[in-house]
């Protein structure tokens, strides 16, 4: 279905995935292939399985893969722990970033960054070196250094939490980033900041999956592919025109498609 | 779901201070009676008043009943089956460290408390107590230059008798409770600190308590006096070998702060906790109390309690002086079948007194962890305030966390505020950290130390690092 | 005959139908005629007041209470415990049916005799003394049930004992206001049992008003089945000695409990509330607020425990104890307690003891109100939160004015 074949090894290949949580099957055969440099958008109604897809890629323990495979850079990652996936370059931007009282944001970012750097066989950063790096990345999301001295996401506004997610993405420098409704709950200024942050991180080597309900994020970041999900499956794939069509016609016509398939 | 076993594994760590020092000791025979008390007193060559103090306490103790209100389930202690005095055999009087048995020095080396001049910790003076006696105190001379007295309590009885006679038992009277009475009758050694007027103690003082013998109890007594406008920071550490019997530790700590004086007392308690089936471990029944006697005096307790089979301990402050301040910061971690019942009493008597209580309990395994506290506003404590916060973290569904705060007020112009909450490490929090590449173990340990952060911030620098390490150690283990 | 003598002299044989329970309770009471003072919940009770409470003349009879207008509801069905004849109110869609002696005996025996836990002293005393006439059990079922008012009272120079049993049927919703009145120099022992079946809902108000020298021993025991909703709003004041024991058991978890309690003590009074909420299954909910206000030389006590055993995962419980200490000679004791074993729970409690907010007082006074006026306004708002949540009450404002003055 995807036209842009480069002949290179795909970055991420999801094949016929069936997944469930608490005995409820949510994904019912999802296929998706992402090449380096590609931006994909996944759209669909609440409960269609978008977030579940993102969680199984990141390895959330509450979700079980019953069938199918997930291959990251040619390697099956199904049995990897979440932290192993993260270190190897998979990043999930949470729809609802978790608050962790008492744990310093700065400390958290440094430990995470160094875990990734160690995996990449780069030198780990001491506190001073890290401070320089994080200051540079803070620019990207227009965050104040003071945020780093607070506990992880605690007392952050919705916009601040999402910016903190993009900051983490910038620091971890992932090869594949799944951003789960990063645009939800943001006002237009915050959306622009987040979008410009994502654009600066995107490059020819990495791949990005944007999970969203709305067109407005896609106005800022143009996806190469748009997938529409319904009832645990991808029912239609197209280019950015598909998103516009969706915006115009709403999700009702996808119901039709989902029944057809 | 979170694999509960994984989390529990993380909080289980072999006890690394469990070795026994093979040393010849001088022990008196088991049991407790008037003759034993006279014997202890004689061995220590004590003045008459102290012997009387002991005998009076013993008479009171005989009439008292062992408390059972703390909900602690344990096998009845046979007080006649305990050795009340045990000391490593040494030459008469140690004039210098060179004469201390190398085995003892080695023991403290292994515990990370080197005592010899070359290796001793910089900026911390240490009084090392081995079973019933103090074996060495470092930096004594340097401290003496500032007029600070830091020595074993036995030595203080001889050299500073007036102070002992005046203050011993003035904060914790012998009749205070069952274990305080027992301690008053049989206490063998401990530390004595005297900070003269206007002196800021130039270094942290520290006592390290080591129980080595399996059949003797440890009954140490600590007395700290801070004269007007003086300050001192005192640290206490404890370990014991692994025995499959229970050893009784019943200490008494008394603090006295005069006008504008400030005492900070920090404890990292890591007595042997018994094995995963609850066999062995120390019974830690301790009475710690400070008296803010002077105006604007301040006593601050911080404790990190990770060891002992049973802990029963309520470091308290009697806020007598106007505008005096009491603080209690506590982290208690229990695992397996450990039981901890700890908290504080803040007794506001003087006007404009303030107290703060921050307690963090972490219960894992089948352990039981209780906060029990009393805040009392007396009728003259006008303009006084208390703030308490007690948080519990539960790991696994077998552990229990209880909160029993008791608040009593007789003074309308005072404020008392208490908050408590319970949480656990949520699956989502763990996943969030893991999804950023942080290992499971490290994620758990990060969250536990984040939970305790308010308390760790209160510990002296050297101790904060040690406490964090200790907790991390407890959290270290095989995953999966 | 005084109560204590009555019990110790084995004179109890008030009713053949209740004799098994009475004998059981009386024999236990003979062992401990007064509660053990070591017992944690009785430790700070005023023993002198307690024993003088038992000095009154025991009285089997029941008297028509004198109900003030601000406590009557025009719409409500009114029942006096003590002189109700056998009744069975039945409409098309609802029914209030009186339980017979056999049913009542069965229910009380389950609570007192066939129960693993030791019965409370308060209930032992009650069951030793309650006669058949002073015992009312009703079962309520159906829809669109009119509001209910149930009255209990004690007569001057007497000790009266009453027992009330309420069974609320599945999916039945009831608004009930219990009014307990005490004459001068009198004692009332009241024990109430409530069973809320699945998805039943009870909006329960309890107003206990004495006359300054009255005494009250009030025990309320509630069992909530899954999906049931229990809301308790209480006010107690003007007693020389009052003790309110509330025991709520969400027997299967999954219940919803709300408690709004208030107690006011003046003069030399001692007023205490002791609540215990136990979750015996998952997904229970509790929201509890207890307010107390202590004046003069009085003593106010709140002791509230929340117990969450291992099988009560996903319990969500919050308790707040707010206390106002208004005099230099008054005393407040508060003891909120949590006992938790389940790990996946949200539990919190809080307690504050303060006086009236100084900034607010100053603000009002700077606008020309006198100190007394400003304090009264503040107190009103303190009371109002509780009064507003009491069901059935029609003259809340009038009650408020009565209580404030």
């Amino acid at each position: 279905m995807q036209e842009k074949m480069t002949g290179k090894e795909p970055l991420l290949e999801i094949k016929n995935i069936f997944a469930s949580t608490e005995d409820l099957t949510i994904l019912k055969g999802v296929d998706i292939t992402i090449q380096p440099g590609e931006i994909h958008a996944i759209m669909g109604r609440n409960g269609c399985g978008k977030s579940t897809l993102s969680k199984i890629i990141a390895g959330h323990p509450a979700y079980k893969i019953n069938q199918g495979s997930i291959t990251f850079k040619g390697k099956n990652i199904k049995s990897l722990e979440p932290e192993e996936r993260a270190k190897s370059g998979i990043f999930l931007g949470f729809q609802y970033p978790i608050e962790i009282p008492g744990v310093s944001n700065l400390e958290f970012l440094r430990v995470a960054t160094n875990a990734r750097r160690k995996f990449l066989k780069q030198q780990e950063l001491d506190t001073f070196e890290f401070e320089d790096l994080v200051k540079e990345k803070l620019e990207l999301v227009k965050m104040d250094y003071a945020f780093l001295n607070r506990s992880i996401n605690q007392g952050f506004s919705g916009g601040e939490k999402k910016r903190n997610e993009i900051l983490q993405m910038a620091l971890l420098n992932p090869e594949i980033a799944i951003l789960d409704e990063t645009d939800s709950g943001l006002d237009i200024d915050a959306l622009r900041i987040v979008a410009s942050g994502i654009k600066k991180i995107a490059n020819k080597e990495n791949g990005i999956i944007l999970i969203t309900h709305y067109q407005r994020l896609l106005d800022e970041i143009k996806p190469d592919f748009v997938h529409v999900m319904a009832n645990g499956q991808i029912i239609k794939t197209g280019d950015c025109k598909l998103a516009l069509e969706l915006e115009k016609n709403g999700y009702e016509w996808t119901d039709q498609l989902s029944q057809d398939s | 779901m979170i694999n509960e076993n994984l989390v529990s594994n993380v909080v289980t760590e072999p006890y690394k201070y469990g070795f026994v020092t093979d040393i010849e000791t001088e022990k008196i025979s088991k049991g407790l009676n008037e003759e034993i008390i006279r014997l202890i007193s004689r061995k220590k060559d004590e003045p008459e008043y102290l012997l009387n103090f002991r005998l009076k306490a013993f008479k009171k103790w005989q009439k008292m009943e062992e408390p059972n209100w703390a909900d602690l389930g344990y096998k009845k202690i046979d007080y006649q089956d305990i050795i009340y005095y045990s000391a490593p055999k040494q030459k008469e009087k140690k004039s210098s460290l060179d004469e201390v048995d190398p085995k003892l020095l080695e023991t403290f080396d292994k515990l990370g408390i080197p005592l010899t001049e070359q290796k001793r910790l910089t900026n911390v003076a240490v009084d090392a107590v081995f079973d019933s006696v103090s074996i060495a105190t470092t930096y004594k001379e340097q401290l003496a230059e500032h007029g600070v007295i830091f020595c074993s309590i036995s030595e203080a009885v001889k050299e500073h008798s007036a102070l002992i006679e005046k203050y011993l038992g003035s904060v914790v009277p012998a009749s205070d409770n069952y274990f305080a009475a027992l301690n008053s009758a049989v206490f063998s050694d401990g530390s004595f600190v005297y900070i003269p007027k206007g002196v800021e103690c130039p270094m942290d003082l520290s006592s390290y308590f080591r129980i080595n013998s399996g059949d003797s109890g440890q009954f140490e007594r600590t007395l700290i006096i801070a004269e007007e406008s003086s300050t001192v920071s005192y640290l206490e550490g404890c370990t014991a070998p692994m025995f499959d019997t229970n050893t009784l530790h019943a200490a008494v700590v008394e603090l006295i702060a005069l006008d504008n004086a400030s005492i900070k007392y920090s404890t990292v308690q890591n007595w042997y906790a018994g094995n995963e089936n609850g066999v062995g471990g120390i019974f830690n029944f301790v009475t710690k109390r400070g008296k803010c006697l002077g105006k604007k005096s301040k006593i601050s307790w911080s404790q990190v309690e990770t060891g002992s089979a049973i802990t029963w301990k309520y470091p308290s402050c009697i806020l007598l002086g106007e505008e005096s301040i009491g603080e209690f910061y506590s982290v208690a971690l229990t695992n397996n079948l450990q039981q901890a019942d700890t908290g504080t009493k803040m007794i506001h008597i003087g006007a404009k007194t303030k107290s703060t209580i921050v307690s963090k309990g972490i219960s894992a395994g089948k352990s039981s962890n209780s906060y029990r506290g009393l805040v009392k506003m007396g009728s003259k404590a006008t303009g006084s305030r208390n703030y308490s916060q007690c948080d519990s973290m539960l790991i696994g569904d077998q552990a229990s966390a209880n909160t029993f705060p008791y608040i009593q007020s007789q003074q309308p112009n005072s404020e008392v505020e208490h908050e408590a909450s319970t949480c656990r490490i949520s699956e989502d929090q763990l996943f969030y950290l893991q999804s950023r590449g942080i290992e499971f173990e490290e994620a758990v340990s990060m969250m536990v130390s984040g939970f305790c952060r308010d308390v760790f911030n209160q510990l002296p620098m050297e101790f904060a690092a040690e406490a964090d390490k200790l907790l991390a150690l407890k959290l270290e283990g095989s995953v999966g | 005959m005084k109560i204590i003598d009555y019990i110790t002299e084995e004179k109890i044989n008030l009713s053949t139908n209740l004799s098994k329970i009475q004998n059981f309770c009386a024999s236990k009471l003979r062992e401990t005629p007064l509660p053990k003072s070591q017992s944690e919940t009785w430790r700070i009770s005023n023993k002198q007041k307690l024993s003088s409470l038992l000095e009154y003349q025991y009285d089997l009879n029941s008297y028509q209470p004198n109900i003030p207008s601000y406590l009557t509801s025009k719409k409500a069905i009114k029942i006096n415990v003590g002189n109700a004849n056998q009744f069975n109110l039945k409409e098309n869609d609802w029914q209030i049916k009186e339980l017979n002696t056999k049913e009542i005996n069965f229910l009380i025996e389950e609570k007192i005799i066939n129960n693993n836990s030791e019965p409370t002293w308060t209930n032992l005393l009650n069951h030793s003394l309650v006669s058949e006439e002073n015992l009312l059990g009703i079962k309520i079922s159906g829809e669109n049930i009119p509001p209910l008012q149930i009255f209990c009272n004690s007569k001057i120079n007497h000790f009266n004992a009453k027992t009330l049993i309420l069974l609320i049927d599945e999916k039945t919703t009831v608004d009930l206001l219990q009014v307990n009145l005490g004459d001068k120099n009198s004692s009332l022992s009241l024990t109430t049992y409530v069973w809320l079946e699945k998805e039943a809902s009870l909006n329960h108000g309890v107003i206990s008003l004495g006359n300054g020298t009255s005494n009250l021993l009030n025990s309320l025991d509630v069992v909530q089945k899954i999906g049931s909703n229990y809301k308790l709003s209480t006010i107690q004041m003007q007693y020389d000695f009052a003790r309110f024991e509330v025991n709520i058991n969400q027997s299967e978890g999954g219940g919803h409990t709300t408690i709004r309690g208030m107690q006011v003590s003046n003069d030399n009074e001692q007023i205490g509330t002791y609540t215990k909420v136990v979750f015996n299954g998952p997904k229970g909910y509790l929201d509890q607020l207890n307010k107390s206000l202590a004046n003069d030389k009085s003593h106010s006590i709140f002791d509230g425990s929340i117990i969450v055993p291992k099988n009560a995962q996903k319990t969500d419980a919050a308790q707040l104890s707010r206390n106002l200490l208004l005099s230099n000679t008054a005393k407040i004791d508060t003891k909120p307690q949590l006992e938790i074993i389940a790990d996946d729970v949200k539990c919190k409690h809080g307690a504050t003891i303060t006086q009236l907010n100084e900034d607010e007082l100053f603000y009002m006074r700077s606008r020309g109100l006198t100190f007394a006026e400003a304090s009264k306004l503040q107190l009103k708002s303190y009371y109002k939160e509780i009064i507003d949540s009491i069901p059935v009450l029609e003259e809340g404002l009038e009650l408020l004015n009565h209580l404030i003055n």
Side-chain angles (χ1 to χ4, degrees), chain B residues 59-173:
Chain B
K59 287 215 174 75
K60 279 182 184 140
W61 178 78
Q62 282 179 308
K63 286 186 201 126
M64 291 168 106
E65 257 178 65
E66 195 171 336
N68 61 359
W69 52 269
D71 268 341
L72 301 175
Y74 59 89
K75 216 171 66 206
K76 216 164 162 38
I77 299 169
D78 181 356
Y79 291 93
Q80 297 305 334
D81 197 35
I82 293 172
I83 292 172
Y84 289 86
Y85 184 87
S86 160
K89 266 194 187 147
Q90 298 194 74
K91 276 174 243 148
E92 273 306 283
K93 168 83 184 157
K94 300 289 142 307
S95 52
S96 85
L97 272 173
D98 308 335
E99 292 171 37
V100 174
D101 189 321
K103 269 189 185 161
L104 288 174
L105 296 177
E106 197 186 302
T107 301
F108 282 92
D109 258 0
K110 258 165 109 176
L111 297 169
I113 320 286
L115 300 171
T116 51
E117 204 148 339
Q118 302 82 356
K119 287 190 277 178
R120 67 187 181 186
L121 305 170
T122 48
N123 274 318
V124 184
V126 179
D127 182 28
V129 179
F130 189 91
D131 283 344
S132 301
V133 294
S134 164
I135 57 157
T137 311
T138 61
Y139 291 109
K140 258 166 95 169
E141 297 75 23
Q142 288 89 330
L143 289 167
E145 284 168 24
H146 294 84
V148 173
I149 305 171
F150 181 39
C151 62
S152 73
I153 206 134
S154 314
E155 196 180 324
V157 167
K158 294 196 177 78
E159 322 245 322
H160 313 283
S161 197
L163 287 169
I164 297 287
E165 197 169 358
K166 181 170 176 194
Y167 287 112
L168 191 78
S170 71
V171 185
V172 180

Side-chain angles (χ1 to χ4, degrees), chain C residues 212-267:
Chain C
T213 49
S214 333
N215 300 292
L216 175 68
L217 287 169
N218 190 3
S219 158
L220 170 62
D221 182 291
V222 181
V223 177
Q224 280 189 263
K225 291 275 178 64
I226 198 161
S228 65
N229 194 335
Y230 180 66
K231 186 176 172 213
L232 175 67
S233 310
T234 74
I235 285 188
Q236 56 176 341
M237 60 189 289
Q238 295 168 5
Y239 286 94
D240 184 48
F241 178 88
R243 182 182 169 94
F244 190 19
E245 296 171 7
V246 181
N247 209 326
I248 295 174
N249 181 358
Q250 290 200 5
S251 60
E252 306 166 333
H256 198 281
T257 310
T258 310
I259 304 175
R260 294 281 172 271
M262 171 145 182
Q263 60 194 34
V264 182
S265 55
N266 295 302
D267 301 327

Side-chain angles (χ1 to χ4, degrees), chain A residues 158-170:
Chain A
E160 287 164 354
K161 281 182 184 167
K162 295 296 171 73
R163 279 193 268 170
N164 199 21
E165 293 292 289
I166 303 304
L167 175 66
Q168 291 168 34
M169 177 175 160

